[in-house]
Amino acid sequence: MPQLDPAFFGTQLFWLVVSFVVLYVIMWRLAMPQVAGVLKQREDKIQGDLETAQKLKEETKSVIAAYEKALADARGQAQTLARQTADAAGAESARRQQEVSDRINAQLVAAERRIAEARAAAMAGVKTMAAEVAQSAFTKLTGAQADQGKLTAAVDSALKGGA
Amino acid sequence: MASPIEQFKIERLIPIKLGNVDISYTNSALWMTIAVVVVTLFLVLGTRQRALVPGRWQSMAEMSYEFVANLLQEQAGNAGRVFFPFIFTLFMFILAGNLLGLIPYSFTFTSHIVVTFGMAIVVFIGVTVIGFIKHGFHFLSFFVPKGVPAAMLILIIPIEILSYLTRPVSLAIRLFANMMAGHTMLKVFSGFVVALGVLGGWLPLAVNVALTGFEVLVAFLQAYVFAILTCIYLNDALHMDH
């Protein structure tokens, strides 16, 4: 078996040590730091991306909150405005109604007064006419002139009783 | 027809003598050199583009790195991190040696007991030294299991010491024997293919195809086993929770 030939033990061990040490130094100084660097770089990149994503997510959240606040403010303003407008319109219409009803009342009062005057005038006319009718009837019956004062009083009382 | 163990023969490519010691550059040394170059190129060129989304090659390079890192982390915890370059080199060197050996006409340096034992003894001595540096003479209590009756210790302590001392032997022989057996089998079946010719050679050829696949698995598995056992020994020395 060639493996057990002591003649080659020395050279094999010698070249084993040489090649192993050379490989060790290359791995330790060159290859492993390079691989580790690549892995680190990737890890950092992933970590960085995750942090950016987190930051963006929070930014989005704050933007949404601001938007909702603006929306709520606008809604509140609109409601205030609508209420103010409705109040103003209500007051205006109440004022107009008042005006109209005042005018109608005034016209009503004037009309009642005119009616009363007309009635008084009519009544006065009726009295004069009654007194004249009574005078002429008295004259025709008696041939004498009736006392004007008594006649008037009689007409008055008849009118009062008749009325 | 070459014998199945012909492939393990070492040839001097460049004869060198250092005093009395023969340190000729052999085919074994050549394939160790190739392993160093291949592992270096695999990792350095693989991650050269530093792509954020890795391609296949870069993925493999990163995977090998993370695989050994996780292995060490799981077995030896944070205290073992200092030895990561060593464990990683060990794993990649053995893996490259095993895989390169599967190339026809190549040489498998991990099929030589001297090489595997060389690595095993470095691990063994290293781990023992770390144990003594970390725990001083208290490290010797590693051989005295807790909760064992005093009378039993006379028997237990020698067994514990023996089992500790056989660690490098089992580590070396496991890798060497696996590689040698696999390659011998491949060679034997290749011999059958030639011997049985066009008519009968197909069956051993099919077996050889299956064996080659199996040997790729063994190449990974044995590199993994060597690395994980080293990590476990390291953990024993670092934490001593036996």
Side-chain angles (χ1 to χ4, degrees), chain A residues 77-105:
Chain A
Q77 273 178 358
Q79 271 176 356
T80 314
L81 206 64
R83 205 169 43 240
Q84 280 174 354
T85 312
D87 287 355
E92 173 68 14
S93 92
R95 194 179 61 74
R96 289 231 185 109
Q97 208 167 13
Q98 189 61 45
E99 228 174 63
V100 169
S101 83
D102 282 357
R103 211 167 51 230
I104 289 171
N105 279 345

Side-chain angles (χ1 to χ4, degrees), chain A residues 2-3 8-9 11-16 19-20 23-24 26-28 32 34-36 38-39 41-42 45, chain B residues 8 10 22-24 29 36 40 43-44 47 50-52 54 58 62 65 84 86 93 111-112 114 180:
Chain A
Q3 282 95 329
F8 292 104
F9 283 2
T11 157
Q12 277 182 293
L13 286 175
F14 176 78
W15 288 106
L16 171 67
S19 47
F20 195 91
L23 185 65
Y24 179 82
I26 294 172
M27 291 296 106
W28 179 37
M32 293 174 72
Q34 186 172 324
V35 178
V38 172
L39 294 174
Q41 176 194 331
R42 179 171 313 134
K45 168 83 177 130
Chain B
F8 304 116
I10 292 174
D22 178 18
I23 53 157
S24 301
V36 170
T40 304
L43 290 165
V44 173
T47 56
R50 308 181 131 261
L52 208 56
Q58 192 183 323
E62 287 173 9
Y65 180 93
F84 183 33
F86 178 78
F93 189 65
S111 70
H112 273 252
V114 191
M180 195 185 82

